[in-house]
Amino acid sequence: MTTASSSLRQPIFRQYPCLPRNSRYLPPLQFSFRRFPSRIRASSAVALEPESSTQLNNGLEVDLFSCPVCYEPLIRKGPPGLNLQAIYRSGFKCNSCNKSYSSKDIYLDLTITAGSKDYNEVQPNRTELFRSPLVSFLYERGWRQNFNVSGFPGRDEEFKMAQAYFKPVMGGLLVDVSCGSGLFSRKFAESGTYSGVVALDFSENMLRQCYDFIKKENPALATNLALVRADVSRLPFSTGSVDAVHAGAALHCWPSPSNAVAEISRILRSGGIFVGTTFLRPSFGNSSIASILRPFRQRILQNYNNLTEKEIEDLCTSCGLINYRSKVQQSFIMFSAQKA
């Protein structure tokens, strides 16, 4: 693949869709900094096609995505756009560590081990469970519906609740981490209130299921949604480049919630919003008793990280997030926090 030889410090002029004169998201006329411009903002009443890359003089582009190894913006060779077809037909390369990335099947693999031939990591059981073709197939065919026993309101109501939290950043870029089969990724894309939606998961089979649902339910979503395989503890985006992050029924599955939330905080721009749902664990009231029982609880629950509401709030705060809010129903919690 040809690499970019021209300096990235030259002025970069970008084309923006027309916005109303009274829009509070009118963009500046030009950028002159090295890294990829962090976001495209628009009035929430206007659905925009995101401009996911910046054109260089030699025909290559600095892309929205970054290398998961060094976090430098990737150089794209191929058609621009944050959509399935454009990404599938593009090649990506990091000029810093000289690593290349490309689409496999229908998703872009941006894991650290992408392209490795011999190396293979053994993942925790809960991670491997959701990589299973059977579990991926069953997730929206009964598996997720059983969450209502624990107080989860259901897809439509959870989507409305999340949209209410995301209202201040509508018109920006949304990343749905640990998206599974795209249960909510597709809803966010259908809403037309975001410049682009990235459905991101570590499971290859979950991403394939998402693609199958798109083909069957609404092929038009392919023009405003990208499928990316990545590790939540090594998100392939530049610092401060994302407006909104959603994680539905995910936190309890992460091997290290602190690493994951720290990564989410890193990629959020100032004022960006993180919304998540998960299963709560009962609070014993006495922190010393809880700390004693925790190792036994984790073994019983096969190492799922079910936290209390106070632990979730403390985790968000320790990762630089503010304005924590939450809604609880039985074991279900939806929480929101904002990047300072």
mmCIF file of all heavy atoms in Angstrom, residues 23-43:
data_model
loop_
_atom_site.group_PDB
_atom_site.id
_atom_site.type_symbol
_atom_site.label_atom_id
_atom_site.label_comp_id
_atom_site.label_asym_id
_atom_site.label_seq_id
_atom_site.Cartn_x
_atom_site.Cartn_y
_atom_site.Cartn_z
ATOM 1 N N SER A 23 -28.023 27.353 13.538
ATOM 2 C CA SER A 23 -27.523 26.150 14.182
ATOM 3 C C SER A 23 -26.377 26.509 15.120
ATOM 4 O O SER A 23 -25.492 27.271 14.776
ATOM 5 C CB SER A 23 -27.033 25.148 13.136
ATOM 6 O OG SER A 23 -26.371 24.085 13.768
ATOM 7 N N ARG A 24 -26.362 25.904 16.288
ATOM 8 C CA ARG A 24 -25.277 26.150 17.233
ATOM 9 C C ARG A 24 -24.088 25.220 16.978
ATOM 10 O O ARG A 24 -23.138 25.203 17.727
ATOM 11 C CB ARG A 24 -25.753 25.970 18.677
ATOM 12 C CG ARG A 24 -26.305 24.599 18.989
ATOM 13 C CD ARG A 24 -27.064 24.632 20.301
ATOM 14 N NE ARG A 24 -27.639 23.348 20.639
ATOM 15 C CZ ARG A 24 -27.082 22.460 21.428
ATOM 16 N NH1 ARG A 24 -25.905 22.718 21.961
ATOM 17 N NH2 ARG A 24 -27.687 21.326 21.706
ATOM 18 N N TYR A 25 -24.162 24.459 15.880
ATOM 19 C CA TYR A 25 -23.077 23.551 15.568
ATOM 20 C C TYR A 25 -22.350 23.927 14.279
ATOM 21 O O TYR A 25 -21.774 23.087 13.622
ATOM 22 C CB TYR A 25 -23.603 22.111 15.425
ATOM 23 C CG TYR A 25 -24.193 21.574 16.700
ATOM 24 C CD1 TYR A 25 -25.508 21.115 16.743
ATOM 25 C CD2 TYR A 25 -23.427 21.527 17.856
ATOM 26 C CE1 TYR A 25 -26.043 20.632 17.918
ATOM 27 C CE2 TYR A 25 -23.953 21.035 19.028
ATOM 28 C CZ TYR A 25 -25.265 20.584 19.062
ATOM 29 O OH TYR A 25 -25.791 20.091 20.206
ATOM 30 N N LEU A 26 -22.460 25.184 13.873
ATOM 31 C CA LEU A 26 -21.778 25.594 12.653
ATOM 32 C C LEU A 26 -20.277 25.336 12.787
ATOM 33 O O LEU A 26 -19.651 25.761 13.757
ATOM 34 C CB LEU A 26 -22.018 27.079 12.384
ATOM 35 C CG LEU A 26 -23.410 27.412 11.825
ATOM 36 C CD1 LEU A 26 -23.575 28.913 11.745
ATOM 37 C CD2 LEU A 26 -23.612 26.783 10.452
ATOM 38 N N PRO A 27 -19.663 24.613 11.827
ATOM 39 C CA PRO A 27 -18.252 24.245 11.954
ATOM 40 C C PRO A 27 -17.330 25.377 11.539
ATOM 41 O O PRO A 27 -17.728 26.267 10.790
ATOM 42 C CB PRO A 27 -18.132 23.073 10.972
ATOM 43 C CG PRO A 27 -19.148 23.400 9.914
ATOM 44 C CD PRO A 27 -20.300 24.072 10.633
ATOM 45 N N PRO A 28 -16.079 25.333 11.996
ATOM 46 C CA PRO A 28 -15.086 26.293 11.523
ATOM 47 C C PRO A 28 -14.771 26.017 10.063
ATOM 48 O O PRO A 28 -15.005 24.933 9.545
ATOM 49 C CB PRO A 28 -13.870 26.027 12.418
ATOM 50 C CG PRO A 28 -14.052 24.627 12.881
ATOM 51 C CD PRO A 28 -15.532 24.421 12.992
ATOM 52 N N LEU A 29 -14.175 27.004 9.393
ATOM 53 C CA LEU A 29 -13.927 26.861 7.968
ATOM 54 C C LEU A 29 -12.747 25.962 7.662
ATOM 55 O O LEU A 29 -12.673 25.364 6.609
ATOM 56 C CB LEU A 29 -13.693 28.251 7.361
ATOM 57 C CG LEU A 29 -14.908 29.179 7.372
ATOM 58 C CD1 LEU A 29 -14.534 30.527 6.777
ATOM 59 C CD2 LEU A 29 -16.070 28.557 6.596
ATOM 60 N N GLN A 30 -11.759 25.876 8.559
ATOM 61 C CA GLN A 30 -10.616 25.030 8.257
ATOM 62 C C GLN A 30 -9.962 24.578 9.544
ATOM 63 O O GLN A 30 -10.193 25.111 10.618
ATOM 64 C CB GLN A 30 -9.608 25.771 7.395
ATOM 65 C CG GLN A 30 -8.891 26.920 8.128
ATOM 66 C CD GLN A 30 -7.894 27.576 7.225
ATOM 67 O OE1 GLN A 30 -8.211 27.980 6.128
ATOM 68 N NE2 GLN A 30 -6.674 27.681 7.674
ATOM 69 N N PHE A 31 -9.156 23.498 9.404
ATOM 70 C CA PHE A 31 -8.391 22.973 10.512
ATOM 71 C C PHE A 31 -6.930 22.967 10.104
ATOM 72 O O PHE A 31 -6.603 22.796 8.940
ATOM 73 C CB PHE A 31 -8.813 21.531 10.842
ATOM 74 C CG PHE A 31 -10.221 21.432 11.354
ATOM 75 C CD1 PHE A 31 -11.282 21.300 10.458
ATOM 76 C CD2 PHE A 31 -10.491 21.488 12.705
ATOM 77 C CE1 PHE A 31 -12.577 21.205 10.918
ATOM 78 C CE2 PHE A 31 -11.782 21.393 13.156
ATOM 79 C CZ PHE A 31 -12.828 21.254 12.258
ATOM 80 N N SER A 32 -6.035 23.116 11.067
ATOM 81 C CA SER A 32 -4.620 23.096 10.740
ATOM 82 C C SER A 32 -3.821 22.208 11.682
ATOM 83 O O SER A 32 -2.625 22.253 11.705
ATOM 84 C CB SER A 32 -4.050 24.522 10.811
ATOM 85 O OG SER A 32 -4.243 25.067 12.105
ATOM 86 N N PHE A 33 -4.515 21.388 12.491
ATOM 87 C CA PHE A 33 -3.760 20.554 13.404
ATOM 88 C C PHE A 33 -3.512 19.187 12.783
ATOM 89 O O PHE A 33 -4.121 18.777 11.825
ATOM 90 C CB PHE A 33 -4.481 20.397 14.751
ATOM 91 C CG PHE A 33 -5.954 20.143 14.629
ATOM 92 C CD1 PHE A 33 -6.434 18.890 14.325
ATOM 93 C CD2 PHE A 33 -6.852 21.194 14.826
ATOM 94 C CE1 PHE A 33 -7.779 18.664 14.231
ATOM 95 C CE2 PHE A 33 -8.206 20.961 14.720
ATOM 96 C CZ PHE A 33 -8.668 19.688 14.429
ATOM 97 N N ARG A 34 -2.597 18.449 13.400
ATOM 98 C CA ARG A 34 -2.093 17.226 12.800
ATOM 99 C C ARG A 34 -3.103 16.091 12.845
ATOM 100 O O ARG A 34 -3.287 15.364 11.880
ATOM 101 C CB ARG A 34 -0.813 16.799 13.538
ATOM 102 C CG ARG A 34 -0.218 15.507 13.006
ATOM 103 C CD ARG A 34 1.070 15.192 13.731
ATOM 104 N NE ARG A 34 1.677 13.989 13.220
ATOM 105 C CZ ARG A 34 1.412 12.795 13.697
ATOM 106 N NH1 ARG A 34 0.561 12.650 14.686
ATOM 107 N NH2 ARG A 34 2.002 11.727 13.188
ATOM 108 N N ARG A 35 -3.739 15.903 13.975
ATOM 109 C CA ARG A 35 -4.593 14.738 14.124
ATOM 110 C C ARG A 35 -5.921 14.966 13.436
ATOM 111 O O ARG A 35 -6.350 16.076 13.206
ATOM 112 C CB ARG A 35 -4.817 14.416 15.610
ATOM 113 C CG ARG A 35 -3.531 14.084 16.318
ATOM 114 C CD ARG A 35 -3.818 13.699 17.738
ATOM 115 N NE ARG A 35 -4.487 12.430 17.822
ATOM 116 C CZ ARG A 35 -3.857 11.271 17.844
ATOM 117 N NH1 ARG A 35 -2.561 11.218 17.738
ATOM 118 N NH2 ARG A 35 -4.526 10.153 17.933
ATOM 119 N N PHE A 36 -6.603 13.872 13.165
ATOM 120 C CA PHE A 36 -7.889 13.943 12.484
ATOM 121 C C PHE A 36 -8.874 14.772 13.284
ATOM 122 O O PHE A 36 -9.007 14.583 14.481
ATOM 123 C CB PHE A 36 -8.430 12.509 12.300
ATOM 124 C CG PHE A 36 -9.850 12.467 11.834
ATOM 125 C CD1 PHE A 36 -10.184 12.865 10.547
ATOM 126 C CD2 PHE A 36 -10.844 12.047 12.693
ATOM 127 C CE1 PHE A 36 -11.492 12.818 10.137
ATOM 128 C CE2 PHE A 36 -12.155 12.001 12.263
ATOM 129 C CZ PHE A 36 -12.479 12.381 10.992
ATOM 130 N N PRO A 37 -9.594 15.723 12.689
ATOM 131 C CA PRO A 37 -10.575 16.530 13.411
ATOM 132 C C PRO A 37 -11.529 15.636 14.174
ATOM 133 O O PRO A 37 -12.031 14.649 13.646
ATOM 134 C CB PRO A 37 -11.304 17.282 12.283
ATOM 135 C CG PRO A 37 -10.284 17.364 11.194
ATOM 136 C CD PRO A 37 -9.509 16.096 11.262
ATOM 137 N N SER A 38 -11.808 16.013 15.404
ATOM 138 C CA SER A 38 -12.435 15.083 16.320
ATOM 139 C C SER A 38 -13.886 14.777 16.030
ATOM 140 O O SER A 38 -14.366 13.723 16.393
ATOM 141 C CB SER A 38 -12.324 15.630 17.759
ATOM 142 O OG SER A 38 -13.026 16.848 17.859
ATOM 143 N N ARG A 39 -14.623 15.653 15.385
ATOM 144 C CA ARG A 39 -16.039 15.370 15.259
ATOM 145 C C ARG A 39 -16.680 16.248 14.204
ATOM 146 O O ARG A 39 -16.128 17.249 13.774
ATOM 147 C CB ARG A 39 -16.746 15.592 16.594
ATOM 148 C CG ARG A 39 -16.649 17.055 17.070
ATOM 149 C CD ARG A 39 -17.132 17.174 18.500
ATOM 150 N NE ARG A 39 -17.106 18.531 18.960
ATOM 151 C CZ ARG A 39 -16.050 19.134 19.446
ATOM 152 N NH1 ARG A 39 -14.903 18.494 19.502
ATOM 153 N NH2 ARG A 39 -16.103 20.385 19.858
ATOM 154 N N ILE A 40 -17.866 15.858 13.814
ATOM 155 C CA ILE A 40 -18.723 16.663 12.967
ATOM 156 C C ILE A 40 -20.007 16.870 13.746
ATOM 157 O O ILE A 40 -20.622 15.914 14.197
ATOM 158 C CB ILE A 40 -19.035 15.942 11.645
ATOM 159 C CG1 ILE A 40 -17.724 15.674 10.896
ATOM 160 C CG2 ILE A 40 -19.987 16.744 10.795
ATOM 161 C CD1 ILE A 40 -17.906 14.790 9.685
ATOM 162 N N ARG A 41 -20.409 18.096 13.955
ATOM 163 C CA ARG A 41 -21.609 18.364 14.730
ATOM 164 C C ARG A 41 -22.690 18.901 13.828
ATOM 165 O O ARG A 41 -22.442 19.548 12.835
ATOM 166 C CB ARG A 41 -21.322 19.392 15.839
ATOM 167 C CG ARG A 41 -20.243 18.943 16.801
ATOM 168 C CD ARG A 41 -20.592 17.612 17.464
ATOM 169 N NE ARG A 41 -21.911 17.639 18.044
ATOM 170 C CZ ARG A 41 -22.183 18.128 19.257
ATOM 171 N NH1 ARG A 41 -21.220 18.616 19.982
ATOM 172 N NH2 ARG A 41 -23.407 18.117 19.729
ATOM 173 N N ALA A 42 -23.921 18.656 14.190
ATOM 174 C CA ALA A 42 -25.037 19.139 13.386
ATOM 175 C C ALA A 42 -26.250 19.296 14.254
ATOM 176 O O ALA A 42 -26.341 18.744 15.331
ATOM 177 C CB ALA A 42 -25.343 18.145 12.259
ATOM 178 N N SER A 43 -27.198 20.075 13.799
ATOM 179 C CA SER A 43 -28.472 20.158 14.490
ATOM 180 C C SER A 43 -29.102 18.778 14.515
ATOM 181 O O SER A 43 -29.040 18.031 13.550
ATOM 182 C CB SER A 43 -29.409 21.124 13.744
ATOM 183 O OG SER A 43 -30.722 20.999 14.231
#
